[in-house]
Amino acid sequence: MVEGGVTKTDRAELTECFRMAWRTPYIMRLALSAGIGGFLFGYDTGVISGALLYIREDFESVDKKTWLQETIVSMAVAGAIVGAAIGGYLNDRYGRKFSIMVADVLFLAGAVIMAAAPVPGIIILGRFFVGLGVGMASMTAPLYISEASPAKIRGALVSTNGLLITGGQFLSYLINLAFTRAPGTWRWMLGVAGIPPAVQLILMYFLPESPRWLYKKNRVKEAREILEKIYPEEEVETEMKSLALSIEAEKADEKEIGEDIISKVKGAFKNDVVRRGLYAGITVQVAQQFVGINTVMYYAPTIVQFAGFASKSVALALSLVTSGLNALGTVGSMLFVDRYGRKKLMLISMAGIIASLVALSVVFIEASNHAPIVSSIESAHFGANSTCPKYLTAPNQFKWNCMSCLKADCGFCSNPAGTNLPGACLASTKDLKGSCKAEHRVFFEEGCPSKFGFLAVVLLAVYIIVYAPGMGTVPWIVNSEIYPLKYRGVGGGIAAVANWSSNLIVSESYLTLTEHLGAGGTFFLFAGVSCISFVFIYRFVPETKGLKFEEVEKILQVGYKPELCCTGRGKPKEKQKAVELESV
């Protein structure tokens, strides 16, 4: 999926991180306290996937209206876009610590509102509040950790934020599973999210502001006091001088490109190097979302139900696998990104994604074609008034199968002798669901019983395995390396907005697409978009592995053109081009 910054790191940096954390626990206290924001980000984006199953059960309007389900899911994304914009202003004006605490208040308010919601509209309001917190946390937590960390282990500590995001998503699935039989189900799932922000609010109250922000606001004495807690005594003066030089350079850049966001954006698109960097940065961020990852993260249990697993608890348990693999994949990215390169890892990942999506499409289409047929005898068993009205008036009843029944907004009650045998097509009401289950049958509403169901779950797991180490994390790394230093903030911000906006489009349209195209057709559509994304990544994204920022800038000055194939042979040529430009 993952929204939020992920900074590259390596094994040596991780080792040094453990050593310094052991010697100076205060450093880890700062990083983990701020990192709760990343955890909340992951939890609140993942928990809705399971909660939605039970929200639909409690509110008939949500169950019947696809757009309402999509809005409940995607409203957090809409809030995140606004929250990221507000967060940028609060970060600069009031500081990183203040911004994190405001995000905590929004998280807490959103959790309480959702847990107590009497109607779907209030759930949507709570989701928007949570989204505001997500947007602020996604940019503020990594920034605070980065500015309050020793340079030697900065990458490793910021990477903990990425791990906490995926860890939060994984825990959200566990929490969902834990509350499947509790009274109130979804209210507990969503309400539990209020505990971590309350804890972080208390922790952050006793932690200092970012030393960089304090120095920039001429609060030099306070900045020094914090650095004295982070660095050995003999290194503090060196760090103060480095901080002074860095902030002077930043202020000089602001004078050159403008302090307000509009001036910075205009300047970015007028600058050839930055504009070409944006082609690459926006391409990878949009591609990250349009491969359909957040349909899996937000709707995983629903997709599992599409595969024929009607039980909500089973659907949640199986979808837990996808979240766990995503967390492991984030670790895999740390190990491989500096060994194989950014572009190569993304293209390999995209190839695997395309193959997985095509395979998923075929499986769902075949499952639909081989769905159990509807038996008029089984349907009549529950009484004429119980049978699906559209089935009763259909001229070709003998052609109806389970999928035909579901498309008619009815439910399929399986045969008591086996779920793959001819069953009944019934009106989808609570009473009839109860009657079906009372006879030890299974009532299917989202997907049909299928022999291919387990294969669909395996392919979802494969999809996550190939997505997470490449397209899951590398786009954020590319965006941290592709822009000149003075435009790095605005360039990364523009690309992040593109990521969130693409996320909103995908999450708001997925269920509607499945209604019109079916699960198989929707995955095939994502595969087609992924093919286009593959071409765009190949065309617009240079390999930045092993290159200094200045070398990347020189490549973009003349306009990047890809080699015949994206292998290691391309990198020396890019470096050579940079050397030639330098000599000129």
Side-chain angles (χ1 to χ4, degrees):
M1 157 176 136
V2 181
E3 302 80 21
V6 179
T7 302
K8 62 177 180 176
T9 185
D10 55 35
R11 192 175 300 172
E13 193 172 10
L14 286 171
T15 303
E16 182 64 21
C17 179
F18 287 125
R19 288 176 182 170
M20 291 193 71
W22 180 261
R23 292 196 303 266
T24 315
Y26 185 75
I27 296 171
M28 192 57 69
R29 180 186 164 194
L30 286 173
L32 291 179
S33 296
I36 294 175
F39 172 84
L40 284 166
F41 175 8
Y43 185 90
D44 282 302
T45 54
V47 70
I48 195 63
S49 62
L52 184 63
L53 300 179
Y54 296 93
I55 292 172
R56 287 171 48 198
E57 200 173 71
D58 279 4
F59 298 109
E60 189 176 352
S61 58
V62 177
D63 191 38
K64 298 298 182 184
K65 296 176 182 177
T66 299
W67 67 267
L68 201 50
Q69 297 174 40
E70 291 171 331
T71 303
I72 289 172
V73 170
S74 61
M75 190 51 63
V77 182
I81 296 173
V82 178
I86 295 173
Y89 169 77
L90 291 179
N91 274 327
D92 292 336
R93 183 66 185 267
Y94 300 105
R96 291 39 164 156
K97 174 182 174 178
F98 178 83
S99 297
I100 291 174
M101 294 178 74
V102 170
D104 286 330
V105 172
L106 291 168
F107 275 125
L108 186 56
V112 173
I113 289 170
M114 289 187 294
V119 293
I122 302 300
I123 299 177
I124 292 171
L125 178 64
R127 288 287 290 168
F128 184 75
F129 270 81
V130 163
L132 290 173
V134 165
M136 294 177 65
S138 68
M139 62 178 302
T140 308
L143 187 62
Y144 180 88
I145 296 170
S146 175
E147 293 180 351
S149 304
K152 292 179 184 178
I153 61 171
R154 185 168 296 144
L157 288 178
V158 177
S159 292
T160 61
N161 187 64
L163 286 173
L164 285 168
I165 291 173
T166 53
Q169 289 173 335
F170 181 74
L171 184 64
S172 72
Y173 281 83
L174 283 176
I175 295 292
N176 282 345
L177 196 58
F179 285 116
T180 53
R181 298 187 183 279
T185 53
W186 61 271
R187 296 184 186 277
W188 284 104
M189 294 172 183
L190 299 175
V192 164
I195 297 174
V199 172
Q200 187 180 42
L201 194 61
I202 295 169
L203 291 174
M204 291 303 300
Y205 180 80
F206 294 102
L207 288 176
E209 181 52 81
S210 153
R212 181 181 181 84
W213 184 84
L214 290 170
Y215 197 103
K216 191 175 180 180
K217 296 297 180 180
N218 296 317
R219 294 162 62 178
V220 179
K221 183 179 178 182
E222 293 175 64
R224 176 183 286 275
E225 288 173 354
I226 297 165
L227 291 176
E228 287 173 350
K229 294 181 180 180
I230 297 173
Y231 290 93
E233 185 178 351
E234 63 274 12
E235 295 181 19
V236 173
E237 196 59 42
T238 303
E239 288 303 318
M240 287 292 291
K241 291 178 181 178
S242 298
L243 196 57
L245 290 172
S246 175
I247 290 173
E248 284 176 15
E250 183 180 333
K251 289 181 177 179
D253 289 340
E254 286 179 351
K255 287 182 180 179
E256 182 181 339
I257 67 176
E259 294 186 17
D260 63 284
I261 188 64
I262 296 175
S263 300
K264 290 179 180 179
V265 171
K266 285 182 178 178
F269 281 100
K270 287 180 181 177
N271 186 301
D272 289 342
V273 172
V274 183
R275 189 174 63 254
R276 289 165 183 153
L278 283 169
Y279 291 159
I282 293 174
T283 290
V284 296
Q285 293 287 37
V286 172
Q288 184 192 63
Q289 295 301 321
F290 278 1
V291 299
I293 181 58
N294 277 322
T295 63
V296 177
M297 291 293 106
Y298 295 153
Y299 298 107
T302 302
I303 294 172
V304 172
Q305 286 190 326
F306 287 160
F309 296 92
S311 167
K312 294 181 179 64
S313 57
V314 171
L316 284 169
L318 290 174
S319 58
L320 182 65
V321 175
T322 62
S323 182
L325 290 172
N326 191 37
L328 290 175
T330 305
V331 178
S333 178
M334 294 179 190
L335 299 175
F336 299 133
V337 71
D338 284 321
R339 180 179 300 178
Y340 298 108
R342 289 84 166 111
K343 182 173 182 177
K344 188 173 183 180
L345 199 57
M346 281 192 293
L347 290 178
I348 292 172
S349 178
M350 285 296 295
I353 287 168
I354 293 167
S356 301
L357 287 171
V358 170
L360 274 168
S361 177
V362 171
V363 166
F364 277 106
I365 290 172
E366 285 299 305
S368 177
N369 291 337
H370 293 86
I373 64 172
V374 173
S375 165
S376 57
I377 297 174
E378 287 293 322
S379 299
H381 169 75
F382 291 90
N385 293 331
S386 302
T387 306
C388 177
K390 291 183 180 179
Y391 173 73
L392 289 173
T393 58
N396 55 345
Q397 291 182 354
F398 64 94
K399 290 184 178 180
W400 274 51
N401 65 10
C402 173
M403 288 305 299
S404 311
C405 183
L406 299 192
K407 288 177 182 178
D409 294 324
C410 295
F412 182 80
C413 182
S414 68
N415 192 300
T419 55
N420 290 306
L421 296 175
C425 185
L426 306 177
S428 188
T429 66
K430 287 187 177 181
D431 289 341
L432 288 174
K433 291 177 193 176
S435 299
C436 176
K437 293 175 182 177
E439 295 188 7
H440 304 291
R441 301 170 180 241
V442 181
F443 195 83
F444 293 86
E445 294 179 275
E446 296 299 326
C448 292
S450 170
K451 297 176 181 177
F452 304 98
F454 186 71
L455 180 57
V457 175
V458 170
L459 288 171
L460 275 176
V462 172
Y463 169 83
I464 293 294
I465 289 169
V466 296
Y467 168 86
M471 290 307 299
T473 54
V474 177
W476 296 100
I477 295 174
V478 169
N479 272 278
S480 71
E481 299 173 333
I482 201 72
Y483 310 110
L485 181 61
K486 66 180 71 173
Y487 285 102
R488 192 156 298 149
V490 66
I494 292 170
V497 169
N499 183 289
W500 281 112
S501 300
S502 302
N503 184 341
L504 180 61
I505 291 169
V506 172
S507 58
E508 183 65 36
S509 62
Y510 174 69
L511 292 178
T512 300
L513 286 172
T514 57
E515 274 192 352
H516 292 85
L517 303 177
T522 303
F523 282 122
F524 192 76
L525 176 63
F526 285 137
V529 174
S530 298
C531 289
I532 297 171
S533 300
F534 183 97
V535 174
F536 270 69
I537 292 172
Y538 174 74
R539 170 63 184 85
F540 291 110
V541 183
E543 177 56 74
T544 57
K545 172 194 170 186
L547 299 180
K548 296 178 181 178
F549 292 126
E550 294 79 8
E551 292 175 323
V552 175
E553 188 171 343
K554 288 184 173 74
I555 291 170
L556 295 174
Q557 279 177 350
V558 295
Y560 169 71
K561 292 183 179 179
E563 302 297 333
L564 183 61
C565 68
C566 184
T567 63
R569 292 185 302 225
K571 193 184 93 172
K573 293 183 181 180
E574 290 168 352
K575 277 197 169 185
Q576 181 62 36
K577 189 185 290 184
V579 172
E580 289 172 0
L581 281 168
E582 193 170 8
S583 64
V584 172

